[in-house]
């Protein structure tokens, strides 16, 4: 089978869609109050740094995914079990995204529909795309990037045109706010959404040139960081800190307030679509990552065969993992604090350091 | 093998579709579209008496079939301890499921307002159907149910008519403002107190709820916006009317347009000026523990009517008039501030402003803000400009001298 | 392979037997006076031009009239040699040795001469007969642009393009496909511009075809397309010579099939199906506007009824209040769910359309009037269908006609029903999930190895000069990338003068 190649544009699109995925819709970095948008910006350099580490490791091992070089750097006995850990983490994170989408849909308009059906439909699409391969997926991402940017523009325009934005809600920023912003930026926003880019370690080997991967990746992260910050700033300026903090889906509430000329109103569908698109791409990337890592660790020749089993596991864990949304959020906090941070940041940094030391000592072939 | 992979996903899809019945699918003919909700306090109990105004689609103006002679709306009333309970209990009376996504108007009866409104709005936030931008209004000297019952001319759906009236007068006269559930929640969670527009019924209530009263040029009952209800800790404290209400709008920077009458040298209130642009900036700071409210108003207007002679072709005269406008505005603003202070209701969100700009200072006054607000010093600055004098310069009445 | 025997009677018996005595096979026997040798001329009535045959036969037989001048001709061999010589003068001459070739020549409109005593035949090209003349295009009408369209004759069709591109680099390759029909299939491309990879792939695919009959280019299309189960067409067909010329100038290959005016073009992209030749003849702003309009129509005709159903059944809050009340009052008394209502109307519309096409054209119009006006109006008045639904269905119907490529319009129509189903089950969520699958499917399609969704996925900035919009002709200095890797310059940028000489 020929190696699937993806272009710089496609990587760019995938990273943006991945970053915007759920982070656009769910509240992030709650500790920082009305300065969330600053937290997002503060976490941005950290995200870029993380990405630099991922891309450095990719440069050193251009044909390997994360499980490959983990074993190479740490040795097989340490590396294999460590990379095995990535599989459930990718799948669980994917299922969390799925859960969030399902819950928003149920909370917003599908209150009579079982979550199983909603999630199963989404998973069907994911399995289909995974079967088609990375190349097809990345092309789809390119097209959807345009769609999502278009919808974002419409949403922004509509919210601003409806006169809902009140900048008093964003300013002034006092010293205490800066401190809050910093504490919620690291590690919480740093890992979600930036640290989640660890998935892309499985995609980077499909890019031919290291430079391209690095440059477009950084550009995409910065752009998505700015867009995220902007969106959350608008959400807060419209809703105020109080409602923003209490809303399960602030973007949704923001859009429901729009009423332009008594005709353009209740554009909830746009937000739901945005979330569905974001979740779809984020989840597909997670499933893809889980798929390739599994295939790599267990020497499965055709990774695509794993699409159905992984999809089904993700589907079931999406609604088994938590009995309701608040518990789901609570689990998320624990998961992010104690697991995701280590797997997204600590492990790659460790790999980087070990690799660097071994390289300096000339221990690597 | 390859063909199998191509066919499989569509098969899954079809299977899923077969599994799904139409859980959330609802036909328009099975829904009763609620346009207005009225909440009263049930007499002698602490239950809610909730009234729903429901559109009768076959009787609206656009109906294709023959007119049935029914009124465009019907009204159902239910009592329950929670709002949502009342919503669902209504199914015993209504043939169709009530559909709330198009609720335009929420009327709070005066009795309800007096006993407290803070607990009312959670269902609006939590439910995906009820919308946050429904307009809230307090019925004055009557209950919410009666307001919802009255049929109105021109606009066939009364709830929509009331909302339009509210928005219309907010735009042109400026004593009232359409406040939405969303804004109300934000005010309740903030440090200030809410003000809500009031409506009053003039005329015969019983005749007003019959379709026949629409068949005459002067209808039997009219719903009219009337004043602003001031709340304190969620309970109706009093009403602001006329200049006080308008002054409140001015301070809140919600005034879109209004018309004020100013005095000429000879006659009182003889010149009508339209204020078509007004901007208010508020600053709050503490001076020796006592808050000072700095209010800067900048307004632009044009002269629309002069009853006797003022030589407005002269610069001097115009300056005089501008000063007069500013003075008049300041008067209304100060009046409203004083009334609010006497009620000890921070309806202008001064507390929020202080909290936002100077959180440290806020902490020191937070506890006894209510009394401090009442003691607060006023510092009102108004700048008024006349931008136009209409189609004529001098009026046709000439000066006698 | 049987060769021709030297006895004329044997040959003629053989011929009659193998052709089952078909009456349109004309055998004329002559006896050459001087040598008393029998000669037979064979041709098929209807495939030949009478006058040419007469002239050809006359020339061949002229040996008798010049009897005195040719005293040396006495044997059959001499006559054969003479005729061979003569035939070379009259038209292209060829010697046929075996039956298969003879039949092929015969059915291509040749006249065959058999001489008693000679085991070879002479053929002369006398083809002609009734062919449809070049007429105006009927399926792809352009207000501005050449009016001619292809006919059923391969030769005519090739010449129509040749007339537009007078370049030695316009190459044509012909092959015969179909065991029984022996249909001529020609590939036309411009050497030096065509994408060789695509050309080779295409040739390989065509050579791999093994069927008995090719009756229309649709056969070829279905046999060489990569994804059989896709609703989307991956080959473009046209009956306009200017469209073919434009496309092969961009590096594509045209496939001409004898007997049909529809010429296939490959490789294609999805967006090509929404381009019309006229886009290049009108000014850029107009064509851009019209193209955008077409894509809007695509969206309406795909999603129109589906979104309407979804909004009506699932997302009533999205509809502005006054409109909702309006719709509710229209639907009051309509006995069907919105989906059934829409399905009924859509199916009715399809029936009217299909009946209108198959009917003779004067009746066809009547059908559409009866169907459209009477049915629609009556259904609304009877309260079976709500007026809003009629508006939505007719809007989608009209929109689907705005797609220039008929085969694409058909695919969209089929997809519309699928999307309607999903919308009725799950509302907008269902639509968006289906859209994921649909777009991923479209991205996975390839036409002769080229991504179908290019230049959108993969994104090729250069090609966007001529995809959804069209930039002024001055700025379209490059041929589309991907389709064309070498010789990419279409015009020299300076002075607007054509730069590269190798294309003309």
């Amino acid at each position: 089978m020929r190696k699937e190649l993806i272009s710089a544009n496609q990587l760019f699109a995938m990273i943006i869609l991945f970053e915007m995925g759920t982070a656009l819709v769910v509240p992030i970095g709650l500790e920082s109050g009305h300065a969330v948008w600053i937290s997002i910006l503060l976490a941005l350099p950290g995200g870029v740094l993380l990405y630099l580490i991922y891309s450095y490791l990719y440069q050193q091992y251009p044909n390997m995914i994360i499980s490959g070089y983990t074993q190479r750097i740490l040795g097989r006995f340490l590396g294999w079990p460590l990379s095995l850990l990535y599989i459930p983490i990718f799948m669980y994170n994917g299922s969390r995204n799925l859960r969030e989408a399902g819950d928003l849909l149920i909370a917003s308009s599908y209150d009579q529909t079982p979550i199983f059906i909603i999630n199963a439909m989404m998973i069907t699409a994911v399995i289909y795309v995974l079967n088609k391969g990375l190349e097809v997926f990345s092309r789809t991402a390119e097209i959807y990037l345009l769609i999502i940017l278009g919808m974002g523009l419409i949403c922004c325009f509509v919210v601003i045109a409806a006169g809902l934005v009140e900048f008093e809600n964003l300013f002034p920023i006092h010293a205490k706010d800066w401190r809050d912003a910093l504490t919620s930026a690291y590690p919480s926003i740093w890992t979600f959404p930036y640290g989640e880019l660890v998935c892309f370690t499985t995609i980077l080997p499909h890019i031919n040139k290291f430079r391209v991967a690095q440059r477009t990746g950084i550009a995409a992260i910065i752009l998505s960081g700015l867009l995220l910050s902007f969106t959350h700033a608008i959400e807060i300026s419209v809703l105020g800190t109080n409602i923003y903090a209490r809303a399960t889906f602030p973007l949704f509430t923001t859009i429901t307030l729009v009423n332009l000329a008594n005709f353009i109103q209740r554009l909830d569908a746009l937000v739901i679509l945005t979330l569905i698109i974001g979740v779809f791409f984020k989840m597909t990337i997670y499933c893809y990552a889980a798929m390739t890592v599994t295939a790599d660790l267990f020497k499965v020749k055709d990774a695509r065969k794993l699409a159905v089993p992984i999809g089904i596991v993700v589907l079931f864990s999406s609604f088994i993992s938590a009995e309701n949304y608040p518990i789901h959020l609570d689990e998320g906090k624990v998961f992010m604090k104690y697991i995701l941070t280590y797997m997204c940041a600590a492990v790659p940094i460790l790999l980087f350091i070990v690799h660097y030391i071994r390289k300096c000592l000339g221990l690597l072939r | 093998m390859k063909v199998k992979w191509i066919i499989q996903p569509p098969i899954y899809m079809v299977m899923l579709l077969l599994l799904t019945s139409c859980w959330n699918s609802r036909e328009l003919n099975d829904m009763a579209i609620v346009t207005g909700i009225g909440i009263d306090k049930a007499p002698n109990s602490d239950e809610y008496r909730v009234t729903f105004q429901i559109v009768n689609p076959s009787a609206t103006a656009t109906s294709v079939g023959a007119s049935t002679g029914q009124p465009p709306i019907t009204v159902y009333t239910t009592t329950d301890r929670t709002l949502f309970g009342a919503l669902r209990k209504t199914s015993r009376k209504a043939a169709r499921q009530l559909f709330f996504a198009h609720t335009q108007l929420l009327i709070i009866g005066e009795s309800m307002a007096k006993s407290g409104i803070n607990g009312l709005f959670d269902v609006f936030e939590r439910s995906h159907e009820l919308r946050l931008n429904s307009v809230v209004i307090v019925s004055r000297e009557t209950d919410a149910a009666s307001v919802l019952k009255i049929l109105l001319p021109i606009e066939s759906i009364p709830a929509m008519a009331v909302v339009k009236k509210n928005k219309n007068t907010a735009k042109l006269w400026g004593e009232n403002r359409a406040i939405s559930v969303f804004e109300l929640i934000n005010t309740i969670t903030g440090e200030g107190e809410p003000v809500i527009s009031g409506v009053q019924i003039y005329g015969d209530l019983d005749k007003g709820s019959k379709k026949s009263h629409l068949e005459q040029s002067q209808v039997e009952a009219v719903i009219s916006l009337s004043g602003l209800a001031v709340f304190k800790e969620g309970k109706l404290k009093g009403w602001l009317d006329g200049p006080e209400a308008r002054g409140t709008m001015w301070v809140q920077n919600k005034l879109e347009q209004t018309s004020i009458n100013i005095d000429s040298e000879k006659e009182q209130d003889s010149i009508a000026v339209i204020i078509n642009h007004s901007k208010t900036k508020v600053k709050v700071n503490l001076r020796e523990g006592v808050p000072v409210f700095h209010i800067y108003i900048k307004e632009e207007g044009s002269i629309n009517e002069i009853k006797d002679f003022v030589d407005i072709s002269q610069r001097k005269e115009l300056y005089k008039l501008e000063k007069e406008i500013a003075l008049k505005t300041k008067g209304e603003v100060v009046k409203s501030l004083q009334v609010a202070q006497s009620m000890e209701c921070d309806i202008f969100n001064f507390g929020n402003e202080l909290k936002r700009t100077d959180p440290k200072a806020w902490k020191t006054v937070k506890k006894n803000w209510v009394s401090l607000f009442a003691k607060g010093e006023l510092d009102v600055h108004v700048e008024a400009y006349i931008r136009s004098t209409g189609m004529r310069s001098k009026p046709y009445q000439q000066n006698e001298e | 392979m049987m060769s021709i025997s030297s006895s004329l009677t044997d040959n003629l018996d053989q011929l009659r037997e193998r052709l089952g005595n078909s009456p349109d096979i004309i055998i004329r026997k002559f006896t050459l006076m001087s040598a008393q040798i029998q000669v037979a001329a064979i041709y098929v009535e209807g495939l030949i031009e009478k006058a040419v045959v007469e002239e050809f036969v006359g020339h061949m037989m002229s040996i008798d009239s010049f009897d005195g001048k040719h005293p040396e001709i006495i044997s059959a061999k001499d006559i054969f040699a003479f005729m061979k010589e003569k035939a070379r003068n009259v038209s292209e001459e060829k010697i046929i040795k075996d039956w298969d070739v003879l039949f092929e020549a015969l059915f291509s409109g040749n006249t065959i001469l058999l001489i008693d005593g000679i085991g070879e035949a002479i053929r002369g090209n006398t083809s002609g007969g009734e062919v449809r003349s070049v007429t105006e295009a009927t399926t792809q009408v352009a207000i501005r642009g050449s009016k001619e369209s292809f006919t059923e004759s391969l030769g005519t069709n090739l010449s129509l393009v040749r007339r537009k591109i007078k370049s030695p680099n316009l190459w044509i390759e012909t092959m015969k496909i179909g065991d029984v029909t022996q249909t001529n299939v020609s590939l036309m491309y411009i050497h030096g511009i065509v994408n060789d990879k695509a050309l080779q792939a295409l040739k390989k695919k065509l050579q791999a075809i093994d069927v008995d009959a090719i009756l229309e280019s649709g056969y070829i299309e279905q046999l060489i397309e990569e994804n059989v189960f896709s609703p989307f067409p991956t080959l473009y067909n046209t009956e306009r010579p200017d469209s073919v010329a434009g496309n092969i100038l961009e590096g594509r290959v045209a496939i001409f099939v004898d007997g049909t005016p529809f010429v296939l073009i490959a490789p294609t992209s999805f967006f090509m199906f929404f381009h019309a030749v006229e886009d290049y003849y009108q000014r850029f702003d107009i064509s851009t506007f019209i193209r955008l309009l077409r894509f809007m129509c695509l969206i309406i005709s795909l999603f129109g009824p589906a979104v309407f159903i979804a909004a009506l059944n699932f997302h009533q809050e999205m509809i502005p209040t006054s409109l909702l009340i309006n719709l509710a009052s229209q639907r009051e008394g309509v006995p069907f769910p919105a989906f059934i209502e829409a399905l009924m109307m859509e199916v009715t519309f399809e029936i009217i359309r299909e009946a209108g096409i198959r009917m003779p054209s004067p009746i066809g119009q009547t059908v559409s009037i009866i169907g459209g006006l009477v049915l629609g109006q009556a259904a609304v008045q009877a309260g079976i269908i709500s007026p809003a639904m009629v508006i939505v269905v007719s809007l989608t119907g009209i929109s689907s006609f705005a797609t220039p490529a008929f085969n694409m319009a058909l695919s969209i129509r089929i997809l519309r029903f699928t999307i309607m189903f999903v919308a009725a089950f799950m509302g907008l969520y269902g639509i968006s999930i289906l859209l994921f699958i649909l777009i991923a499917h479209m991205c996975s399609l390839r036409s002769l190895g080229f991504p179908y969704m290019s230049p959108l996925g993969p994104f090729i900035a250069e090609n966007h000069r001529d995809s959804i919009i069209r930039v002024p002709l001055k700025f379209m200095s490059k041929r589309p990338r991907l389709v064309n890797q070498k010789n990419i310059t279409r015009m020299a940028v300076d002075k607007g003068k054509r730069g590269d000489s190798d294309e003309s």
Side-chain angles (χ1 to χ4, degrees), chain A residues 23-80:
Chain A
L24 207 57
V25 184
V26 299
I28 53 177
L30 281 179
E31 298 88 352
S32 45
H34 69 274
V36 173
W37 58 288
I38 287 179
S39 313
I40 296 171
L41 291 181
L42 284 177
L44 187 57
V48 172
L49 266 179
L50 263 187
Y51 183 78
L52 282 177
I53 290 176
Y54 303 148
S55 65
Y56 172 80
L57 289 169
Y58 149 66
Q59 187 196 16
Q60 298 299 313
Y61 303 96
N63 286 318
M64 280 185 198
I65 63 169
I66 188 160
S67 55
Y69 53 70
T70 309
Q71 292 180 51
R72 196 56 87 69
I73 293 170
L74 298 178
R76 220 181 126 69
F77 288 104
L78 207 59
W80 201 87

Side-chain angles (χ1 to χ4, degrees), chain C residues 60-328:
Chain C
M60 292 294 126
M61 301 305 155
S62 62
I63 194 161
D64 263 7
S65 45
F66 291 100
D67 203 14
K69 282 182 189 171
H70 300 279
E72 68 277 11
I73 301 169
I74 32 164
S75 69
K77 214 173 228 169
D78 290 336
I79 289 172
F80 180 65
F82 170 83
M83 284 189 175
K84 211 158 87 175
E85 186 61 35
K86 265 290 178 200
R88 201 171 281 143
N89 292 342
V90 177
S91 68
E92 44 173 323
E93 158 265 349
K94 248 187 191 160
I95 304 301
I96 296 168
K97 285 185 178 148
D98 59 62
W99 283 105
D100 287 343
V101 183
L102 188 144
F103 285 130
E104 197 193 304
L106 190 61
F107 295 125
S108 310
N110 288 301
T111 300
I112 312 285
L113 283 178
L114 284 168
I115 302 159
D116 193 21
I118 301 288
E120 284 171 315
I122 295 172
R123 70 157 231 223
N125 191 353
T126 53
S127 64
E130 295 298 308
V131 269
R132 198 164 61 89
S133 55
V134 175
T135 52
E136 238 178 84
T138 48
T139 57
Q140 289 168 314
V141 187
I143 309 292
R144 182 169 177 182
S146 89
K147 297 283 177 196
E148 60 192 7
S149 74
F150 289 126
T151 68
E152 281 74 15
S153 154
L154 180 65
T156 316
N157 291 352
L158 293 175
S159 70
L160 280 174
V161 182
R162 182 74 86 177
R163 266 179 220 167
K164 288 191 188 295
I165 305 173
K166 301 173 192 73
S167 157
N169 286 331
L170 180 71
W171 286 11
I172 299 167
E173 282 179 49
T174 304
M175 55 183 85
K176 280 198 171 11
I177 302 178
D179 292 341
V180 177
T181 56
Q182 291 289 323
T183 312
N184 281 321
V185 175
S186 296
L187 299 184
M188 183 188 269
Y189 54 87
I190 295 182
H191 175 67
I193 295 177
V194 71
N195 186 307
D196 290 323
K197 219 174 94 195
L199 186 62
Q200 295 314 322
L202 184 59
K203 276 191 203 163
K204 224 167 138 189
K205 285 191 165 181
L206 286 177
Q207 274 151 9
I209 294 177
D210 183 18
V211 287
D212 56 349
I214 299 288
L215 294 180
E216 214 273 338
S217 52
Y219 282 52
I220 301 268
E221 182 182 347
Q222 291 171 54
L223 288 169
I224 66 172
E225 68 184 357
E226 267 136 282
N227 210 327
V228 184
F229 294 105
S230 170
F232 294 99
T234 50
L235 277 91
Y236 185 75
N237 69 59
T238 179
E239 56 164 1
R240 295 184 62 91
D242 48 351
S243 170
V244 169
N247 275 307
I248 62 176
L249 278 168
E250 287 187 346
R252 297 192 175 88
V253 187
I255 308 166
F256 289 73
V257 177
D258 199 10
T260 174
F262 291 97
V263 174
L264 299 175
I265 290 167
T268 57
S269 82
F270 177 70
F271 299 97
M272 234 178 93
F273 291 88
F274 298 89
H275 297 176
V277 274
E278 215 180 331
D279 294 354
Y280 302 97
Y281 306 154
Q282 301 286 6
R283 295 189 62 255
F284 82 98
D285 41 4
I286 297 165
S287 6
T288 300
F289 171 72
I290 291 174
R291 273 192 189 175
L292 291 177
L293 197 73
R294 283 192 205 124
F295 285 106
M296 209 176 80
C297 288
L298 164 74
I299 291 170
I300 292 175
S301 68
L302 257 183
F303 298 111
V307 169
F308 187 64
I309 292 171
L312 226 52
N313 280 1
F314 288 88
H315 311 282
Q316 295 92 350
E317 74 276 358
M318 267 173 54
I319 307 171
T321 310
S322 41
L323 182 61
L324 183 83
I325 292 170
N326 190 333
L327 289 174

